[in-house]
Amino acid sequence: MTNTLFDFLETSLMECEILTDVNTSVCNSYNNIYYSKVIDCNMILDSAVVISIAICIPGKWQQELIDIYISNYDEFDFIPHVDSKGKLCLFEKEGILIDQNLVGITIQSLFRAKDILEDGLTQKNKMDFIDEFELYWGQLSNCRLTYFVVPKTHKSQKIKYISNLTAKRKNERHIEYINRIRNKPLYVAKETGELKRWRLENSPILNAIYFAISPQIYVFPPDIRNNINIDYLNNLLSFVPKDILTKLIYCLGRQKVIVFEIKQPNGIINHLGFYFENGCFSKKNFNFQNVNNLQPLIIHRADKKYLMSRTAEKDLDNNKYILVIGCGSIGGYLINELAKQGYENLTIVDSDILSNENIFRHILGLEYVLKNKSDALKEHICKNIPEMNIQSINEKIEDVLLYDEINLNKFDLIISTTGNHNVNRWLNTYVCNHKLYVPIIYAWNEVCGIGNHVAYFKYGNVGCYECLFGRNDDTGELYDKTSYCKFGQKITKTVYGCDKSFVPYGNMISLKTVLICMDIIKDILKGKTLDNFILSVKGNYEYFKEQGFEVSDRYINQKENVKKITGSQFVNPMCGVCKDDYPK
């Protein structure tokens, strides 16, 4: 920062009506943080209270916010939006645009600080403690990180916890080892199986307690400038019914973990916890005494409901049962996205093995080569996304249905991503012959990315998958009427002979098809889709042409980039599969 700019800033601060005694500090650090400039002064509040503050200008003030500290914070009560070192939280950093005007942003920050202090000292903003409870709890000293899968039943109950008990290091003193272990994160859940996601197989599983309380008065966070004490814990225990407290408390061992869910009078829910050792529980006073090593637990929720709270799809019915046929390039990405959207009840079917040549257009990589695709996808997703219920079937869909291994009627949606028209036509015939009213999506790519197609069919609506095919007038051969690739061309390539043939297209083409498919899935499961249709998206022509291919008349005649055709537009009245099944 240039001296001229700083001189101008100092002059502006001296002229600011809410400041007095403006002086540049001889030291450019504050609370062990280096700043370009530190300015000491007094701030005068409307109530005539004078507060000593430090205005700290960071070196990268164009990208960072100005820091303002209360110099004499120990003289005041604990107030919202001030951390344990007296620094004020002035603005939310996420999404903020910082003006490149140092004087302007400093003055703006000062008036914001004045408002925070006025509201804090008059307790006008006291309820901000409740809204940001966990933020203050996490600033207590000696905190311990805890990952917690909140039980689905919000009632007081026994739960489980584990920690990563690493071995003692060479030449490490015992007290050093114990202190290191006490700083290891804890992992807490209702069921033992839920703890498996953290893969700490060699760690003992111990009992903990989860108390869900609903006090009639507000529970505020403790003053973060002081160490937590047992009185705070005992105060929370006073809100637990005595019969429940005495029933659960004796399941704890020497090392005790207690997690609280506090439903405040305004409905806001806060989570916090305690770890401590030993201690005796008084049956007379219903509290703990003589505890050792009391630590506040910072609760990081790891349950699915909370983890999905940042998504925009929280209103989806995630209990739908979905069958996905095909775990290849499209299927792999689609199944992963379904899991990320929260759809947890998935059945995936594929008999293929993942090979080396698959990995550059598949979500799975070298780790899973030579494993069955459906098993590998299940393993990959369940390792990374919680609370999944995936059934993997390593067979062809034709065999699965012929031997009654699954009942299609139990599914809310069926999706075929095989890209194999013969398999899809077989499935279409099976559904029509058995009069199954389960909605079905078919998704496929075309050679070299010339097109993406997603079709929707439900038995009883006009048109079926078979209606998408016709016969060539000259040769009588069956062909795909939806294709953007001219009929009669060889579009497959081979690796190690005809047994390893494939249709060439890239990873991005599959991702594009999946994105189209996901939007359609949401509409179907919300009941917004009434008619059968096929949606086709034209791809890049230049690369397709470079590979020696020719486009079809459909590609040439389709002026729109995206075209949706309903069943009434493509239905074949002479279709050998559906002609007797839809309303005339």
Side-chain angles (χ1 to χ4, degrees):
M1 183 164 55
T2 64
N3 289 330
T4 302
L5 182 59
F6 172 69
D7 291 341
F8 182 53
L9 172 64
E10 189 171 26
T11 300
S12 299
L13 294 179
M14 289 179 176
E15 295 173 352
C16 182
E17 66 269 24
I18 63 173
L19 299 181
T20 64
D21 303 318
V22 177
N23 291 298
T24 301
S25 173
V26 295
C27 179
N28 282 349
S29 67
Y30 196 94
N31 281 337
N32 298 318
I33 300 174
Y34 179 80
Y35 293 96
S36 287
K37 292 293 178 182
V38 176
I39 303 170
D40 296 316
C41 57
N42 291 326
M43 176 177 284
I44 305 172
L45 305 184
D46 293 342
S47 58
V49 173
V50 178
I51 299 180
S52 297
I53 64 170
I55 305 169
C56 301
I57 312 299
K60 297 180 180 178
W61 60 267
Q62 299 93 336
Q63 293 89 37
E64 301 173 5
L65 297 175
I66 305 298
D67 289 339
I68 297 179
Y69 293 84
I70 304 175
S71 303
N72 55 340
Y73 188 31
D74 290 342
E75 300 175 14
F76 296 92
D77 291 334
F78 179 42
I79 61 175
H81 308 296
V82 183
D83 71 14
S84 60
K85 295 183 178 180
K87 186 172 79 171
L88 281 74
C89 178
L90 301 173
F91 307 100
E92 290 188 9
K93 294 182 179 180
E94 187 68 30
I96 193 172
L97 293 175
I98 299 177
D99 196 342
Q100 305 300 290
N101 177 348
L102 178 60
V103 173
I105 60 176
T106 304
I107 297 297
Q108 183 183 9
S109 298
L110 285 166
F111 277 91
R112 173 61 181 153
K114 177 178 175 291
D115 290 342
I116 290 172
L117 295 173
E118 293 272 16
D119 292 345
L121 294 178
T122 60
Q123 297 194 344
K124 183 179 178 180
N125 63 357
K126 187 176 181 180
M127 291 306 297
D128 290 355
F129 276 135
I130 303 300
D131 295 336
E132 301 177 348
F133 191 107
E134 285 83 359
L135 175 65
Y136 299 102
W137 184 262
Q139 294 182 53
L140 289 166
S141 62
N142 199 31
C143 277
R144 189 169 186 175
L145 184 61
T146 301
Y147 296 95
F148 181 40
V149 180
V150 176
K152 294 181 179 179
T153 55
H154 296 265
K155 64 179 183 179
S156 299
Q157 55 196 289
K158 182 173 72 172
I159 53 178
K160 305 287 185 181
Y161 82 94
I162 56 175
S163 181
N164 186 9
L165 299 180
T166 55
K168 189 175 179 181
R169 296 168 181 167
K170 185 178 180 180
N171 298 325
E172 184 177 30
R173 293 188 301 165
H174 183 70
I175 187 62
E176 293 173 340
Y177 171 69
I178 293 300
N179 289 333
R180 182 164 60 86
I181 290 298
R182 285 177 183 152
N183 289 320
K184 290 283 186 180
L186 299 178
Y187 305 90
V188 184
K190 166 63 178 173
E191 304 294 342
T192 301
E194 293 174 318
L195 297 173
K196 291 181 179 179
R197 75 171 72 169
W198 288 291
R199 297 186 283 279
L200 300 175
E201 290 83 1
N202 297 324
S203 298
I205 298 175
L206 304 173
N207 288 335
I209 300 177
Y210 171 65
F211 286 125
I213 59 176
S214 300
Q216 298 304 305
I217 59 173
Y218 285 99
V219 176
F220 290 94
D223 190 331
I224 59 179
R225 295 170 293 183
N226 304 321
N227 293 328
I228 193 72
N229 60 55
I230 195 62
D231 292 338
Y232 196 90
L233 167 61
N234 287 331
N235 179 60
L236 293 178
L237 291 176
S238 70
F239 297 113
V240 181
K242 300 298 185 292
D243 58 331
I244 294 176
L245 181 59
T246 52
K247 177 182 177 181
L248 293 174
I249 207 72
Y250 294 106
C251 75
L252 298 175
R254 187 182 70 84
Q255 298 171 324
K256 298 174 176 64
V257 170
I258 299 178
V259 177
F260 286 91
E261 176 186 288
I262 305 172
K263 186 175 183 181
Q264 303 280 8
N266 62 356
I268 288 179
I269 293 178
N270 304 124
H271 290 90
L272 58 94
F274 298 86
Y275 169 90
F276 58 98
E277 297 169 7
N278 303 317
C280 59
F281 181 73
S282 169
K283 295 181 181 179
K284 178 181 178 180
N285 299 316
F286 296 97
N287 61 24
F288 278 101
Q289 300 170 0
N290 303 319
V291 304
N292 301 124
N293 305 311
L294 180 65
Q295 289 180 284
L297 302 181
I298 305 175
I299 303 299
H300 281 216
R301 288 182 57 179
D303 50 288
K304 179 179 176 181
K305 181 179 179 181
Y306 177 77
L307 295 177
M308 289 196 66
S309 62
R310 289 196 175 190
T311 72
E313 310 297 341
K314 291 175 284 188
D315 59 333
L316 293 178
D317 183 356
N318 298 324
N319 291 320
K320 299 293 187 181
Y321 285 79
I322 301 175
L323 168 65
V324 181
I325 303 165
C327 299
S329 182
I330 299 175
Y333 286 111
L334 180 66
I335 292 164
N336 188 67
E337 289 308 308
L338 288 169
K340 294 249 182 200
Q341 288 290 316
Y343 296 110
E344 58 195 39
N345 299 308
L346 304 178
T347 300
I348 58 178
V349 178
D350 198 315
S351 62
D352 284 350
I353 302 297
L354 188 75
S355 59
N356 280 301
E357 55 267 24
N358 290 143
I359 62 173
F360 280 100
R361 67 178 196 183
H362 202 282
I363 193 170
L364 300 177
L366 288 172
E367 178 185 2
Y368 296 101
V369 166
L370 300 182
K371 291 186 178 181
N372 179 271
K373 289 179 181 177
S374 61
D375 284 344
L377 270 171
K378 176 181 177 178
E379 179 184 336
H380 170 73
I381 291 172
C382 290
K383 279 199 307 186
N384 294 284
I385 301 178
E387 300 179 35
M388 291 302 302
N389 175 30
I390 301 181
Q391 180 186 4
S392 168
I393 302 177
N394 308 328
E395 299 178 52
K396 294 181 178 180
I397 187 61
E398 303 96 306
D399 296 332
V400 171
L401 295 179
L402 289 175
Y403 292 104
D404 296 323
E405 294 182 34
I406 57 173
N407 178 5
L408 294 186
N409 278 315
K410 85 166 192 176
F411 295 101
D412 298 287
L413 177 64
I414 298 169
I415 309 169
S416 174
T417 65
T418 65
N420 187 321
H421 284 317
N422 294 315
V423 172
N424 291 343
R425 290 171 62 214
W426 183 93
L427 178 62
N428 175 72
T429 301
Y430 180 92
V431 168
C432 291
N433 288 345
H434 289 80
K435 295 180 170 48
L436 301 174
Y437 288 89
V438 182
I440 303 179
I441 292 175
Y442 299 90
W444 67 99
N445 301 331
E446 284 208 56
V447 61
C448 295
I450 194 62
N452 313 77
H453 304 280
V454 178
Y456 164 76
F457 296 97
K458 186 174 182 180
Y459 177 76
N461 292 345
V462 177
C464 75
Y465 192 87
E466 190 68 25
C467 295
L468 301 178
F469 300 88
R471 293 196 178 274
N472 183 270
D473 293 335
D474 297 327
T475 66
E477 288 184 76
L478 197 66
Y479 74 100
D480 176 7
K481 293 188 290 185
T482 70
S483 180
Y484 291 139
C485 183
K486 186 175 180 180
F487 170 70
Q489 301 177 91
K490 182 182 178 182
I491 62 171
T492 58
K493 294 185 179 295
T494 59
V495 178
Y496 308 128
C498 58
D499 187 49
K500 285 280 190 176
S501 62
F502 64 96
V503 176
Y505 53 79
N507 174 68
M508 296 301 295
I509 304 305
S510 294
L511 288 171
K512 186 176 179 180
T513 301
V514 168
L515 291 175
I516 299 167
C517 202
M518 288 302 298
D519 285 336
I520 293 172
I521 289 169
K522 285 183 281 186
D523 286 343
I524 292 171
L525 294 179
K526 288 181 177 180
K528 294 183 178 181
T529 306
L530 301 177
D531 298 320
N532 291 348
F533 67 83
I534 178 170
L535 188 149
S536 300
V537 181
K538 294 173 69 174
N540 186 284
Y541 169 69
E542 296 301 325
Y543 179 69
F544 178 84
K545 182 180 178 181
E546 288 175 6
Q547 304 307 305
F549 294 118
E550 295 182 64
V551 295
S552 66
D553 289 341
R554 186 187 182 213
Y555 185 92
I556 296 170
N557 296 329
Q558 180 180 316
K559 304 305 179 185
E560 313 93 324
N561 183 48
V562 180
K563 190 172 185 65
K564 183 177 181 180
I565 305 174
T566 63
S568 59
Q569 295 173 288
F570 64 72
V571 64
N572 177 6
M574 301 305 295
C575 175
V577 178
C578 72
K579 67 178 181 179
D580 298 324
D581 292 325
Y582 63 85
K584 302 297 189 288

